[in-house]
Amino acid sequence: MQHCTAATTRYLLAVPPNGKYRATIFLIHGFPDISMCWRYQIPTLLSLGLRVVAPDCIGYGRSEAPRFTPESAWRYGYRQCAKDMKELARQLGSSQVILGGHDWGGAVVYRIALYEPEFVTHLFSVCTPYWQPTKEFRSLEETVAMIPYFGYQLQLANGGLENILQTKEQIRQFLNAMYGGRTASGEAVVSTEKGILLEKLPGVKQTPLLSKTEMDYYVDEFSRTGLHGPMNWYRTRKQNWKEEQEFMDSSIEAPVLFIQATKDTALRPELARNIDRYLKNLTKCEVVASHWALWEAPEECNAHIKRWLEDVVFGRKEKL
């Protein structure tokens, strides 16, 4: 596995030991995360003969992180991400790819398949259900009024948090809190309704989901450009809505695997209640895990992904 750079995007590239691969899969991370979030899945994908590409999305890690302005907002939108991934694939010699996503990455892979249907042969999403484009725009405030446990997004979008949490130690505390770390007395430091509980943040302990070495790596990567870039993804709501209006009557034709995390308090199971009506070729399964299912239940996630790849992807068409 090696770090590579193409234009403004940094990505991990891994190829099976014999150098031959049956297809290319792009893995898109979520918030707050980086390409390394797929560390437990990449070996399984390589064993199936896949070439793996895991980018740091714009604003994250070693990729470009432009300041958010009315003029640069488009850089953080779904449509531009679709164009960026298609261009990266072209540079790597692939005209079609399989997609995998988690959290925001799950939202992204659905939209890439909607915007670029010829580019995506199959896709999977962990935690994130599909939602159909809507005719009416709903602001984040209106959405939170309907779904109170999305309230944390207001804190992330308003810009205040990134101005408070700037040092390496503060970023470490933020990441530990987001990844399920608690205080010495066992109190949570994140509320889905309110966001980061700043008064408790200094007392957060190391998350059990990452080793100290892994956390040090994450802190270094997030400290490169701070939290502004990652939080910009919460500021493109209206732009994304405008750009997807032409896809109101479109549907995703590619086969989809949706892995639901039953203990996810942000992307709760009830959000996926009706996705069957919008996805024509859906495989749905679940893991007993929190939002960080890729790390908390890697064997279970890998088993679902492997079975789907073998049965649905390669069972019908040996070579993509």
Side-chain angles (χ1 to χ4, degrees):
M1 188 163 60
Q2 58 183 314
H3 283 283
C4 304
T5 302
T8 61
T9 302
R10 185 81 164 186
Y11 61 96
L12 294 176
L13 176 66
V15 181
N18 64 5
K20 299 178 180 179
Y21 51 91
R22 304 161 80 181
T24 296
I25 186 167
F26 274 45
L27 302 175
I28 313 298
H29 67 80
F31 173 92
D33 219 332
I34 48 178
S35 53
M36 193 58 71
C37 79
W38 299 101
R39 59 194 176 278
Y40 295 121
Q41 285 67 52
I42 290 175
T44 294
L45 298 172
L46 291 175
S47 74
L48 292 170
L50 290 169
R51 178 174 66 163
V52 180
V53 180
D56 286 341
C57 291
I58 188 168
Y60 288 90
R62 306 186 189 193
S63 290
E64 189 176 15
R67 298 295 298 177
F68 190 87
T69 66
E71 292 72 34
S72 68
W74 60 273
R75 299 283 307 275
Y76 289 92
Y78 291 141
R79 168 159 268 171
Q80 185 58 38
C81 187
K83 291 179 179 179
D84 290 344
M85 294 305 106
K86 189 174 181 181
E87 172 59 19
L88 177 56
R90 186 195 66 78
Q91 292 183 31
L92 292 171
S94 293
S95 60
Q96 291 184 312
V97 299
I98 304 164
L99 290 177
H102 170 249
D103 184 66
W104 266 106
V108 165
V109 298
Y110 290 126
R111 261 35 190 180
I112 295 177
L114 203 60
Y115 294 171
E116 302 286 351
E118 299 302 317
F119 174 55
V120 181
T121 64
H122 305 77
L123 70 93
F124 74 83
S125 173
V126 181
C127 296
T128 313
Y130 174 72
W131 61 86
Q132 188 75 357
T134 59
K135 184 176 181 180
E136 293 79 23
F137 173 71
R138 185 176 294 130
S139 69
L140 181 54
E141 290 76 11
E142 290 171 321
T143 299
V144 171
M146 297 175 62
I147 310 175
Y149 52 86
F150 276 8
Y152 69 94
Q153 297 186 23
L154 292 170
Q155 184 193 51
L156 299 176
N158 69 20
L161 204 59
E162 68 203 46
N163 295 325
I164 296 172
L165 307 178
Q166 295 187 334
T167 69
K168 269 197 169 185
E169 181 55 29
Q170 289 170 333
I171 290 174
R172 182 183 300 273
Q173 292 169 349
F174 169 75
L175 293 175
N176 272 314
M178 292 296 295
Y179 300 154
R182 292 177 173 264
T183 65
S185 60
E187 295 179 286
V189 188
V190 177
S191 162
T192 53
E193 288 77 15
K194 298 178 181 178
I196 293 287
L197 305 177
L198 290 171
E199 70 278 6
K200 297 181 180 180
L201 191 59
V204 68
K205 301 300 181 182
Q206 169 81 26
T207 172
L209 297 178
L210 279 78
S211 69
K212 184 181 183 303
T213 299
E214 289 171 329
M215 179 55 77
D216 287 345
Y217 179 81
Y218 266 69
V219 171
D220 286 344
E221 294 300 285
F222 273 87
S223 296
R224 290 176 183 276
T225 55
L227 298 178
H228 175 75
M231 291 181 182
N232 286 338
W233 286 77
Y234 290 90
R235 298 168 181 143
T236 57
R237 191 177 192 85
K238 195 157 194 175
Q239 172 186 306
N240 287 330
W241 170 79
K242 288 179 179 178
E243 290 179 346
E244 66 188 25
Q245 288 303 291
E246 65 183 276
F247 301 98
M248 281 287 300
D249 299 321
S250 301
S251 61
I252 293 178
E253 303 291 335
V256 174
L257 168 67
F258 172 55
I259 303 176
Q260 184 169 273
T262 59
K263 296 183 178 180
D264 194 331
T265 57
L267 295 171
R268 298 184 183 183
E270 59 260 33
L271 296 175
R273 191 177 298 118
N274 297 316
I275 64 170
D276 309 65
R277 74 173 63 163
Y278 301 118
L279 302 174
K280 295 184 177 181
N281 193 338
L282 173 66
T283 302
K284 187 176 178 181
C285 55
E286 62 182 41
V287 293
V288 180
S290 73
H291 184 71
W292 305 105
L294 294 176
W295 315 336
E296 190 176 340
E299 294 84 3
E300 293 87 343
C301 287
N302 291 350
H304 288 307
I305 294 168
K306 181 179 180 180
R307 186 179 307 112
W308 176 74
L309 285 167
E310 290 175 334
D311 294 348
V312 177
V313 179
F314 296 123
R316 297 182 182 181
K317 194 174 182 181
E318 179 63 25
K319 186 176 181 181
L320 297 176

